[in-house]
Amino acid sequence: SRRPLSVLSPQDKTTRVMEDTIIATTRALAQKKELRIKFQGSHIEADIILPALPENPDAENLSPIRGTADIAALTTRLHN
């Protein structure tokens, strides 16, 4: 299970919020609320596996991950 935000370091909180935001956006684009999404390095079953977030995420280094998530979401949504 995931640790509560209150016990995470500021950097880990930022990473968690970014992961949660990417996951929510990916599910919304795919139009599948139950879509299982994970980031590399996580040991859970998933429908979509995204690259791990960098240690110091910013707009520039998150862009490729968001693009990968968007492509995966739309592929899932539009796949016959």
Side-chain angles (χ1 to χ4, degrees), residues 3-80:
R3 297 183 323 173
L5 282 175
S6 61
V7 302
L8 298 177
S9 70
Q11 180 62 42
D12 288 344
K13 284 180 188 178
T14 299
T15 299
R16 169 80 66 80
V17 169
M18 289 183 178
E19 286 177 346
D20 290 348
T21 301
I22 292 169
I23 288 170
T25 303
T26 303
R27 286 179 176 148
L29 282 173
Q31 295 183 347
K32 293 189 176 192
K33 292 180 184 179
E34 301 302 319
L35 193 64
R36 297 172 303 164
I37 303 162
K38 76 173 190 172
F39 292 86
Q40 287 179 343
S42 176
H43 302 289
I44 61 171
E45 292 290 322
D47 301 306
I48 294 175
I49 302 170
L50 299 173
L53 294 183
E55 281 192 33
N56 296 307
D58 61 29
E60 186 176 325
N61 60 26
L62 282 178
S63 184
I65 296 169
R66 291 183 56 215
T68 299
D70 291 353
I71 290 168
L74 291 172
T75 299
T76 299
R77 176 178 167 183
L78 301 173
H79 189 266
N80 291 338

